[in-house]
Amino acid sequence: MASWARLVSRWRCLLRTARAAEGPRGPRGHSSTAQGCRGFAPLALLPSRSDILPWRLQAYRHACVESCSPPGSAKDGSFSSPESNLPSPVKQEQAKAETLPDLNAKIPYEDWDDIPPSSALEEISEEEAVQIIAEPLLPLQSSTLRDYVDHSETLAKLVHLGVDLSQVEKRQKAGQLLLTLDFEKDIRKILLFLKDVGVEDNQLGPFLTKNPYILAEDLEALETRVAYLKSKKFGKAEIAQMVSRAPYLLLFSVERLDNRLGFFKNELGLSVKKTKDLVIRLPRLLTGKLEPVKENLQVCQLELGFQRNEIQEIVFKIPKILTASKKRLKQTFDYLHNIMGIPHHMLTRFPQVFNSKLLRIKERHMFLTFLGRAQYDPAQPSYISLDQLVSLPDEVFCTEIAKASIQDFEKFLKTL
Amino acid sequence: MAAVPGGLFAVYKPAGVAWGRVREAVETRLLRELNAAPGRAPRQHVRFLPAPGDDGAAGLVAARVPVLADHPLVRGPRFRRLKIGAGHRLDVKASGVFVLGIGHGNKLLTDLYNCHLTKVYTVGGLFGKATDDFSDTGKLVEKTTFDHITREKLERILAVIQGTNHKALLMHSNIDMKTQEAYELAVKGLIRPMGKSPPIITAIRCLQFAVPEFQLEVHCLHETQQYLRKIVHEIGLELKSSAVCTQVRRIRDGVFTLDDALLRTQWNLSWLVLCEFILGGQGTGVRAPSTDNCLVLTEV
């Protein structure tokens, strides 16, 4: 009987201490009992949990010493009234109430081995049932990070930084990478490095969303690459701008970066200063594929019929042409040159028409033709420049350029 | 909180774009607006956090914090897909009124099909050429003269077409012509094939005639745009010349007209819910007098 009473009291003490100790571990881990936690090793969470266990045991030890004494008095109060309903083991335990505090104060670790485990089918009182906390376990495998974000401090801090976890979990292995990293040990130094490079605080979240793999990179390698860029006479602000706009830039090794810079210098034939300026304005040229750039240059030269110096001028003004789709480029040029009748030198002066949608150009040109105002030759009167044709919003275009109301424009669009 | 609207509406499909792209563009625009609207607040739960002052293990403070799994950056966008169904389709070269259904309105699309209402097209043609796919962008097959063509000859051909199609209409509508009911329906103009039938032109007339260009207005049932181009080609052949079709534009699809069609700049939620179109009995419409543009049938 004494052993039975000790069993029940120790079990109740375990529950209470586990409940108190569960509090500080809240954001990190959970379980109803310490025994449950020990057997718990989800595939995704294993490496980062090694630091939790000694802390939890220590909390347990603290909590056990403090809270083991009150249970004795609390038990006396709780079991006095519903006497007749209680099953017999607890009644026996009531008789031993006075002796229990002594036993409780001395619950040592060495007695754990000779306690038989309590069965889940035992009858317990209502108060004890209420005190059991049985939260669901974390899933061992999951396709989203939503299941783990409430229990992982790393993920919580990343969310507060602004990282879009719903985008990151769609990438290959990026979610698994984030779960294996620890904020204090791994992520913090990369974030400090990025801040040193010059990425703004509010840009760190979107940066990591687009490129979570930088968190797995070696810090020395990243610093070497930044040093290489500085040696190529890119200024600090310029490097910061490049890194913010092309997050994958620092994943490229020094040789690859060197090759790509050399490629652009050779292909475009611009001076070093102009190539650098181009790359700073559109850094994703360095991180994208190089074959499509070559093909686009060929298309401009052979199919569209631009001279080399014209291509250089166009590319310097609108570097996006190098990454545009060839079909769209050809269709836009075909309409501009053959149907609107705009010569090559005008297109070189206003290459931003290649950036805009073909449908927009078509509609506006047809409206101007209908009104008789389609005049794109600067020598003639009432000349309309191409950049005004494409870049102005609809209302301004209608009132200023076409000198008509926007309702007329809409009615005309419905006749096309 | 944004709610997905439900009903039927018409957009103006521009020429040169596939109908699927138009449907996807509308879906993308509406999704962007629905996701931009504020959502519901995240759930809260109680956590025991260390007290700010002393950080011993006993200093725990119960705090109500929002559940991070409901954070918008973790949960992602609330709306990912919208059920937008297409009514009578238009091919790439054609333009005009294109009916779409959203949400609950998709169920009305089948009813719209079963109504077998006529559609009205503006068909533009050009005498003097014949191509392999009957349109002006196809491969040239032959060139002919067209000086002998006059408006009277064209209208005579159109009358012949209308007559033969009227006979086909009576035949395919499966009504016994010798009854009183058939006569009454014919007087009201309600004789129509209520099932599957080949393309039938119920009315055709010439809007403009400026040699070599001409423009026809065609009321038809169960047609395709390529059939209309073939009709233009055949008109050219009947007139002892040849013709290609330059433009096919739908100006009415059932009860939706050009005024109801939304242009590209108007494909957003505010235009969709601007006015309501209440369907009365037997498919007749009663338009709410708020504005004269766009509509959504049946609010959810």
Side-chain angles (χ1 to χ4, degrees), chain B residues 48-235:
Chain B
F48 292 96
L49 304 172
D54 46 9
D55 43 359
L60 294 172
V61 169
R64 219 186 179 95
V65 290
V67 174
L68 269 180
D70 283 347
H71 195 280
L73 285 178
V74 180
R75 194 194 54 204
R78 258 177 324 134
F79 296 98
R80 290 172 203 251
R81 302 281 294 271
L82 278 179
K83 278 194 191 164
I84 298 188
H88 293 112
R89 300 188 287 263
L90 282 166
D91 64 4
V92 176
K93 288 181 272 212
S95 61
V97 176
F98 180 35
V99 176
L100 296 173
I102 184 169
H104 290 264
N106 287 320
K107 292 176 207 155
L108 293 172
L109 278 177
T110 15
D111 298 335
L112 205 62
Y113 271 119
N114 296 336
C115 279
H116 299 282
L117 297 170
T118 56
K119 305 183 214 32
V120 179
Y121 287 82
T122 316
V123 178
L126 192 69
F127 286 119
K129 290 204 296 186
T131 55
D132 56 348
D133 66 349
F134 313 133
S135 77
D136 54 347
T137 50
K139 196 173 110 174
L140 194 62
V141 169
E142 68 170 358
K143 279 183 128 164
T144 56
T145 58
F146 46 83
D147 320 320
H148 55 280
I149 303 176
T150 61
R151 191 163 182 149
E152 291 77 30
K153 288 186 191 168
L154 180 65
E155 302 211 340
R156 205 176 301 154
I157 301 290
L158 296 181
V160 165
I161 292 177
Q162 191 162 337
T164 45
N165 275 281
H166 189 67
K167 281 200 194 136
L169 176 74
L170 296 176
M171 190 177 72
H172 286 285
S173 52
N174 287 333
I175 296 177
D176 188 1
M177 287 297 136
K178 300 198 177 82
T179 59
Q180 178 64 18
E181 291 157 2
Y183 172 72
E184 278 163 18
L185 282 176
V187 158
K188 285 191 227 160
L190 290 175
I191 292 192
R192 197 187 301 155
M194 294 307 274
K196 275 196 157 184
S197 82
I200 295 178
I201 296 179
T202 54
I204 185 166
R205 66 187 177 112
C206 178
L207 290 176
Q208 287 172 31
F209 184 80
V211 180
E213 290 169 4
F214 63 98
Q215 204 178 53
L216 306 173
E217 185 185 288
V218 183
H219 298 239
C220 41
L221 280 172
H222 306 155
E223 82 303 340
T224 58
Q225 287 80 47
Q226 193 63 14
Y227 178 77
L228 294 171
R229 294 191 189 102
K230 195 168 155 208
I231 293 282
V232 168
H233 172 82
E234 282 170 9
I235 289 174

Side-chain angles (χ1 to χ4, degrees), chain A residues 77-290:
Chain A
S78 57
F79 291 120
S80 52
S81 32
E83 262 181 82
S84 49
N85 301 339
L86 291 174
S88 44
V90 187
K91 269 198 203 146
Q92 287 164 2
E93 189 243 352
Q94 235 188 325
K96 305 262 189 293
E98 293 77 38
T99 59
L100 277 171
D102 301 331
L103 286 172
N104 280 346
K106 285 197 280 168
I107 290 182
Y109 281 111
E110 56 265 24
D111 277 345
W112 279 25
D113 288 336
D114 41 358
I115 306 170
S118 52
S119 156
L121 298 173
E122 275 176 11
E123 288 186 8
I124 51 172
S125 70
E126 287 294 319
E127 288 86 352
E128 288 178 9
V130 157
Q131 285 160 11
I132 295 177
I133 300 169
E135 279 181 20
L137 293 175
L138 283 183
L140 294 181
Q141 269 183 327
S142 168
S143 57
T144 94
L145 289 172
R146 278 183 80 177
D147 302 322
Y148 302 120
V149 72
D150 275 309
H151 308 285
S152 161
E153 262 202 36
T154 312
L155 288 180
K157 286 199 178 155
L158 285 175
V159 170
H160 290 309
L161 203 60
V163 178
D164 191 344
L165 291 184
S166 63
Q167 302 277 332
V168 168
E169 69 195 9
K170 287 181 195 161
R171 314 288 299 277
Q172 287 237 5
K173 298 173 192 163
Q176 185 71 41
L177 175 72
L178 285 188
L179 282 170
T180 51
L181 294 174
D182 180 57
F183 196 86
E184 294 301 322
K185 275 193 262 171
D186 311 311
I187 301 182
R188 186 175 278 273
K189 49 186 187 179
I190 308 263
L191 289 178
L192 289 170
F193 165 77
L194 285 175
K195 281 193 71 165
D196 272 337
V197 166
V199 179
E200 312 257 325
D201 288 346
N202 56 358
Q203 291 294 315
L204 283 173
F207 184 96
L208 288 178
T209 309
K210 284 187 224 160
N211 184 14
Y213 305 107
I214 200 169
L215 297 171
E217 284 285 312
D218 194 21
L219 200 58
E220 284 84 31
L222 292 174
E223 292 190 351
T224 326
R225 289 159 199 169
V226 173
Y228 165 75
L229 286 175
K230 284 197 178 132
S231 77
K232 287 281 176 181
K233 314 273 189 352
F234 284 102
K236 190 167 182 315
E238 291 156 352
I239 297 182
Q241 194 192 1
M242 280 167 69
V243 167
S244 304
R245 291 168 70 175
Y248 275 97
L249 192 66
L250 290 178
L251 289 188
F252 281 66
S253 69
V254 172
E255 296 89 41
R256 272 188 99 180
L257 282 175
D258 200 28
N259 281 345
R260 277 158 187 251
L261 281 170
F263 167 82
F264 279 103
K265 190 166 159 321
N266 294 338
E267 281 293 317
L268 297 176
L270 296 169
S271 68
V272 173
K273 188 168 174 302
K274 280 195 168 179
T275 319
K276 273 192 354 200
D277 194 38
L278 193 80
V279 161
I280 291 167
R281 274 158 48 205
L282 194 67
R284 59 159 212 258
L285 283 175
L286 287 181
T287 57
K289 293 190 192 164
L290 298 180

Side-chain angles (χ1 to χ4, degrees), chain A residues 20 23-24 26-27 66 146 149-151 156 159-160 162-166 170 359-360 363 394 410 413-416, chain B residues 12 14-15 45 47-48 60 67-71 73-76 95 247 249 258-259 261 263-266 293:
Chain A
E66 289 165 23
R146 278 183 80 177
V149 72
D150 275 309
H151 308 285
V159 170
H160 290 309
V163 178
D164 191 344
L165 291 184
S166 63
K170 287 181 195 161
L359 206 51
R360 198 174 151 97
E363 286 168 356
D394 275 340
E410 287 176 2
L413 285 180
K414 286 192 180 174
T415 63
L416 285 182
Chain B
Y12 190 87
H45 62 180
R47 281 270 184 252
F48 292 96
L60 294 172
V67 174
L68 269 180
D70 283 347
H71 195 280
L73 285 178
V74 180
R75 194 194 54 204
S95 61
Q247 185 199 44
R249 183 174 129 237
L258 261 188
D259 297 329
L263 286 170
R264 237 179 31 249
T265 46
Q266 298 162 341
N293 210 340

Side-chain angles (χ1 to χ4, degrees), chain A residues 377-398:
Chain A
D377 189 2
Q380 311 271 341
S382 71
Y383 151 73
I384 295 173
S385 77
L386 288 174
D387 63 335
Q388 277 183 331
L389 181 74
V390 294
S391 56
L392 291 177
D394 275 340
E395 297 87 17
V396 183
F397 170 77
C398 288

